[in-house]
Amino acid sequence: MYSGEDESKAFDDNINSKWLDNAGAPSRRSPAWIQLDLPTAQTVNSITMTSTNNAAERSARLYCARLK
């Protein structure tokens, strides 16, 4: 995986960086996913996703957040 687009970029609070799932374009049968483990319990008030504009087939059209 190109290190400039690794999973750490998904949560770096920088809209100029990005995470790329290098396995290919996600689909319902083969989704891309990423997990964030917080060290302590946190209150989540909102989730924001920003998609890049470089390849339409990789733009998020469906996502699910599972909170434990």
Side-chain angles (χ1 to χ4, degrees):
M1 178 178 294
Y2 174 62
S3 64
E5 299 176 343
D6 64 46
E7 61 276 358
S8 71
K9 303 297 189 271
F11 304 104
D12 67 357
D13 203 25
N14 179 351
I15 63 169
N16 295 307
S17 67
K18 67 179 181 177
W19 162 57
L20 170 63
D21 178 357
N22 239 5
S27 67
R28 286 183 187 265
R29 290 179 41 197
S30 179
W33 67 275
I34 192 165
Q35 179 173 323
L36 175 65
D37 292 318
L38 301 173
T40 61
Q42 301 290 317
T43 299
V44 176
N45 294 313
S46 67
I47 297 173
T48 302
M49 180 184 295
T50 303
S51 181
T52 64
N53 62 354
N54 62 346
E57 67 275 11
R58 291 194 309 245
S59 292
R61 290 179 294 278
L62 175 67
Y63 71 93
C64 175
R66 186 169 70 183
L67 307 174
K68 292 184 183 182

